[in-house]
Amino acid sequence: MSTLDLPGYSHVYSGKVRDLYAPVGADGEVVPDQLLLVASNRLSAYDWMMSPEIPDKGAVLTRLSLWWFDQLSDLVPNHVVSTDVPEAVAGRAVLVRKLDMLKVEAIARAYLTGGGLEEYREKGSVSGVVLPDGLVDGSKLPEPVFTPTTKAPVGEHDLPMSPAQVEAELGAGVAAEVSRLTRAILARGNEIAAERGILIADTKVEFGVSPDGTGGLVLADEVLTPDSSRFWPAELWEPGHPQPSYDKQFVRDWLTSSESGWDRKAGGPPPELPAHVVEQTRAKYVEAYERLTGETF
Ligand SMILES: N#Cc1c(N)ncnc1-c1cnn(CCN2CCOCC2)c1
């Protein structure tokens, strides 16, 4: 993964699909209260980084996240400062307030699948919340459930956190507010997305607080994008089996088809994606953005 040489910025961190830079002042010192959040065109599937990248993915998801921040501004303040960013990352980067980030991945689930379904099948509950009997893969939950995890180091897996662990990490008051806001964000997201034919099964958001201790929780990172959430086409929703992913299904279907020649269980890396899969995947990201926002990419 190559980081960019951005004059006026120093590289801080690279995740699977996004990179973080710190602005550097004329004196060569890092500007202490801002960061540049850059969305790449990288795509991960089945825990592998795909090649080639998906053109415009970073720009589409950045625009979508900015749109959601605006839709949610009555619910929670956010970290966005400006989209006045270096030309090299124009359209796919945001200047943000540097926050003290909470050490909890704030996840809420509106539909049961993935790790939540596994826990439900084992315990009849998820993150301590007892659920009705008879739920299956893709079942809609009576209401969004907060299912927090730790923030594991790169290469390790996030681990489920019990309510007691979250309270120990954040304090009872902040823990309750994080739970409330995370569920409210997903509920609002689904109100809007459902009108556009998209179901958001679950989402991961991140909160921070101002380093000077003033104010309350601030919504950071990205919000309600196909990278942070499971997007499902509403017209294909059918509980009882894995749902098609709005944005990654073309990649998954090709990788698991005989055409790719990839044996996922063998443990080796996946092959290069063919052009038609790359193009179809780009088109799905653009379609999600345009259906949700009503704007043309
Ligand atoms: N958004 C945002 C944001 C913000 N507004 N303020 C401070 N930090 C972050 C941020 C963005 N990504 N990460 C996770 C990656 N960390 C990078 C450092 O090392 C630990 C992992 C933190």
Side-chain angles (χ1 to χ4, degrees), residues 246-263:
Y246 199 91
D247 56 302
K248 295 186 179 168
Q249 203 55 43
F250 287 113
V251 171
R252 290 176 182 162
D253 288 350
W254 184 79
L255 286 174
T256 54
S257 73
S258 56
E259 188 186 327
S260 76
W262 186 46
D263 176 1

Side-chain angles (χ1 to χ4, degrees), residues 59 169 297:
E169 177 63 37
F297 176 70

Side-chain angles (χ1 to χ4, degrees), residues 12-13 18 20 35 37 79 96-101 206 220-221:
V12 170
Y13 171 82
R18 279 145 7 95
L20 213 49
L35 288 167
L37 197 52
H79 68 161
V96 300
R97 286 167 56 190
K98 187 173 182 178
L99 302 167
D100 288 341
M101 301 299 287
E206 295 198 30
D221 197 42

Side-chain angles (χ1 to χ4, degrees), residues 173-197:
V174 172
E177 184 65 352
V178 166
S179 171
R180 182 187 73 80
L181 279 175
T182 307
R183 288 179 287 120
I185 287 165
L186 182 55
R188 175 71 66 80
N190 266 314
E191 282 171 17
I192 294 170
E195 293 169 4
R196 280 89 163 170

Side-chain angles (χ1 to χ4, degrees), residues 1-264:
M1 182 188 318
S2 62
T3 58
L4 296 168
D5 177 16
L6 289 177
Y9 291 85
S10 66
H11 176 256
V12 170
Y13 171 82
S14 284
K16 278 186 179 178
V17 293
R18 279 145 7 95
D19 306 298
L20 213 49
Y21 296 80
V24 175
D27 58 0
E29 294 299 313
V30 166
V31 173
D33 60 353
Q34 291 185 353
L35 288 167
L36 185 72
L37 197 52
V38 180
S40 75
N41 291 331
R42 301 189 294 268
L43 174 72
S44 80
Y46 295 127
D47 287 331
W48 287 94
M49 296 313 294
M50 296 296 115
S51 177
E53 297 186 349
I54 308 299
D56 294 324
K57 173 177 178 280
V60 173
L61 296 195
T62 296
R63 278 209 218 173
L64 181 57
S65 200
L66 289 168
W67 183 81
W68 280 118
F69 278 127
D70 188 46
Q71 299 300 310
L72 299 165
S73 58
D74 62 314
L75 280 181
V76 60
N78 63 66
H79 68 161
V80 174
V81 170
S82 160
T83 54
D84 180 13
V85 299
E87 184 56 36
V89 291
R92 64 182 182 96
V94 184
L95 202 59
V96 300
R97 286 167 56 190
K98 187 173 182 178
L99 302 167
D100 288 341
M101 301 299 287
L102 302 190
K103 294 182 176 58
V104 173
E105 296 286 23
I107 297 165
R109 298 173 186 270
Y111 295 79
L112 193 61
T113 194
L117 174 65
E118 288 174 18
E119 186 178 347
Y120 168 77
R121 284 173 171 163
E122 188 185 322
K123 302 178 183 175
S125 63
V126 61
S127 294
V129 178
V130 177
L131 297 176
D133 293 339
L135 300 182
V136 296
D137 196 350
S139 287
K140 183 171 182 179
L141 297 174
E143 58 184 14
V145 178
F146 183 55
T147 63
T149 71
T150 61
K151 284 187 177 179
V154 176
E156 295 179 27
H157 289 294
D158 297 341
L159 299 173
M161 293 179 80
S162 68
Q165 287 173 309
V166 178
E167 286 194 13
E169 177 63 37
L170 303 178
V174 172
E177 184 65 352
V178 166
S179 171
R180 182 187 73 80
L181 279 175
T182 307
R183 288 179 287 120
I185 287 165
L186 182 55
R188 175 71 66 80
N190 266 314
E191 282 171 17
I192 294 170
E195 293 169 4
R196 280 89 163 170
I198 293 172
L199 301 180
I200 306 176
D202 48 47
T203 197
K204 183 268 296 176
V205 293
E206 295 198 30
F207 295 101
V209 292
S210 177
D212 65 10
T214 60
L217 291 174
V218 179
L219 184 59
D221 197 42
E222 62 182 317
V223 60
L224 293 171
T225 73
D227 272 352
S228 67
S229 319
R230 283 189 174 93
F231 276 37
W232 293 342
E235 72 276 11
L236 298 181
W237 178 55
E238 187 180 62
H241 54 74
Q243 307 303 308
S245 154
Y246 199 91
D247 56 302
K248 295 186 179 168
Q249 203 55 43
F250 287 113
V251 171
R252 290 176 182 162
D253 288 350
W254 184 79
L255 286 174
T256 54
S257 73
S258 56
E259 188 186 327
S260 76
W262 186 46
D263 176 1
R264 186 178 164 203

